[in-house]
Amino acid sequence: MFKRSTLLSIALACVASAMAPLSAQKPATPPVAQDEVLAWPAPPAPARIKWVAEYRNAFDVGAKKKRSFLDRLAGKSEDVIWLQRPLSVAVDDKGVIFVGDYNLGVIAMDPANKKIWAFSAVSGSVLTTPTGLAADSKFVFATSANTSQVVIFDKEGRQLSALGKADGIKRPVGLAVDEARNLLVVVNGDEHAVRLYNRSLKLLKTIGSRGSEEGQFNFPTYVCMVAGVGFAVVDSGNFRVQLFDFNGRFLRAFGQVGDMAGQFARPKGIAVDPDGQLYVVDGAFNNFQIFNQEGRLLTFVGQGGVRKGQFQVPNGIAIDASGAIYVADQINHRIQKFQYLREEKEAPASHPTPQ
């Protein structure tokens, strides 16, 4: 996908990004030219990722128009949902974006139909600390770390079933679903383990214990399904990614702590693109790094800041079947959307037909 010739510049830029301090305050967003095109890696390498959009509120998804000057003078208020601290993100097969917000619960955004609504509040309560989200064609799955819950919603936001502390759930973080295999993978953070359920929340297997050996974990955080392989878990306290087959058998691992490209400082969300490449968000580097499944770094996207393609403590990430990438940019109060640009294969040269 990416040429090795770009890796040295990637490494230097990533180190600079990692050393940038994290801001605890929301800065003013500087003006950005409307015709600005953001793409990675930098030229002359061919672009593989481009910036597409950002979603903060009802205006960004087209659900509301901004007040006129006269309305503002008259003091007319607006009932508008604004993201406050997005932690997690998922996208379903219809393009609906589900956002887990620390203060708001689960918010649903549908840019295609210009809608936004308080998704989890439909059940009569706000799901607190929604650290993990996953969606398939029928259900939305969520975790709540502070209340130790795993919850299933229907697509209207009605809660169908849940697991809690009595079921052994201890500060769950990420989760991932494979509808075809009827498999739900839940990262049970304080158990230092990963639990495999079916989509009706029947426990099938628990893998892992605290440690640094193969198949062990130290405060794992996020997980994604990897088509044809199994699932990948961010083993945050061990600064690595571990891959398992669908039955939970360890396959391989990659990663180490450090401030160089390809290393991890605060690894968080993980997702896989249509070509099977792994995207790992790092909250300290303020970027996401892209690896092949053997752990070789391909490129990275982002740095600290408030502009397009910059982040402040990013967390969750999701990628849909078209290669659209969604990143929860916590302190910038937004979801940023990117697009994976698949490499175009050259058509075979045509030859004249003999006369």
Side-chain angles (χ1 to χ4, degrees):
M1 169 180 159
F2 302 100
K3 296 183 180 299
R4 291 179 178 270
S5 60
T6 64
L7 293 183
L8 180 57
S9 59
I10 291 169
L12 294 174
C14 195
V15 171
S17 172
M19 298 302 292
L22 300 178
S23 172
Q25 298 181 352
K26 179 185 177 183
T29 303
V32 178
Q34 293 302 306
D35 60 350
E36 181 179 19
V37 177
L38 294 175
W40 296 264
R48 291 290 175 259
I49 307 292
K50 72 173 182 179
W51 187 91
V52 176
E54 64 181 7
Y55 303 113
R56 302 172 185 265
N57 50 47
F59 305 125
D60 291 340
V61 300
K64 278 185 174 288
K65 294 183 178 180
K66 293 187 177 182
R67 290 179 301 168
S68 69
F69 176 72
L70 292 178
D71 286 341
R72 293 197 299 272
L73 282 180
K76 292 184 178 180
S77 62
E78 292 174 317
D79 182 19
V80 176
I81 295 174
W82 290 74
L83 295 183
Q84 297 182 25
R85 187 181 167 190
L87 298 173
S88 54
V89 60
V91 58
D92 70 7
D93 58 337
K94 305 297 183 184
V96 178
I97 307 162
F98 300 93
V99 182
D101 190 287
Y102 187 89
N103 297 323
L104 303 177
V106 181
I107 302 299
M109 296 178 168
D110 185 355
N113 293 300
K114 300 181 179 181
K115 294 180 181 179
I116 182 172
W117 66 98
F119 180 81
S120 59
V122 171
S123 293
S125 63
V126 175
L127 186 69
T128 62
T129 59
T131 45
L133 284 173
D136 61 22
S137 68
K138 295 181 179 179
F139 306 118
V140 176
F141 305 84
T143 59
S144 176
N146 286 355
T147 56
S148 292
Q149 290 177 285
V150 177
V151 182
I152 302 180
F153 298 93
D154 66 16
K155 286 300 184 72
E156 302 303 317
R158 293 183 292 263
Q159 182 173 321
L160 302 178
S161 56
L163 298 172
K165 292 180 180 178
D167 304 295
I169 301 299
K170 301 177 181 179
R171 291 190 64 81
V173 191
L175 74 174
V177 64
D178 186 323
E179 184 172 2
R181 293 177 181 270
N182 192 25
L183 178 64
L184 179 70
V185 182
V186 177
V187 177
N188 207 21
D190 278 6
E191 188 184 18
H192 306 282
V194 172
R195 293 188 165 204
L196 309 186
Y197 295 87
N198 67 18
R199 291 163 57 253
S200 299
L201 298 184
K202 177 183 178 181
L203 181 63
L204 305 175
K205 182 182 294 187
T206 299
I207 64 170
S209 60
R210 191 167 193 180
S212 58
E213 300 299 320
E214 293 180 352
Q216 293 185 319
F217 302 101
N218 186 21
F219 291 106
T221 51
Y222 287 89
V223 60
C224 70
M225 306 305 301
V226 182
V229 177
F231 55 90
V233 181
V234 178
D235 186 9
S236 291
N238 286 322
F239 305 96
R240 65 183 179 182
V241 172
Q242 296 196 67
L243 279 83
F244 300 84
D245 69 15
F246 293 105
N247 293 315
R249 182 176 63 89
F250 174 83
L251 298 176
R252 55 189 174 276
F254 66 86
Q256 60 180 316
V257 64
D259 59 5
M260 297 293 292
Q263 299 176 333
F264 299 123
R266 197 183 301 168
K268 297 288 186 180
I270 188 168
V272 63
D273 70 21
D275 287 336
Q277 294 156 151
L278 295 165
Y279 294 52
V280 183
V281 173
D282 198 297
F285 291 166
N286 288 311
N287 68 9
F288 57 86
Q289 300 185 87
I290 306 174
F291 301 86
N292 66 14
Q293 290 184 21
E294 285 67 47
R296 182 170 67 85
L297 177 68
L298 303 175
T299 194
F300 81 99
V301 173
Q303 60 182 357
V306 299
R307 293 180 180 270
K308 297 176 181 178
Q310 297 179 343
F311 301 99
Q312 291 196 90
V313 197
N315 205 69
I317 185 171
I319 303 177
D320 68 17
S322 72
I325 305 157
Y326 302 85
V327 183
D329 189 7
Q330 274 194 78
I331 308 303
N332 285 328
H333 320 290
R334 63 185 175 181
I335 299 297
Q336 292 201 66
K337 180 181 178 180
F338 302 80
Q339 180 66 45
Y340 168 52
L341 306 175
R342 305 184 78 168
E343 187 172 6
E344 295 183 4
K345 296 182 179 179
E346 294 184 3
S350 59
H351 298 282
T353 303
Q355 298 296 323

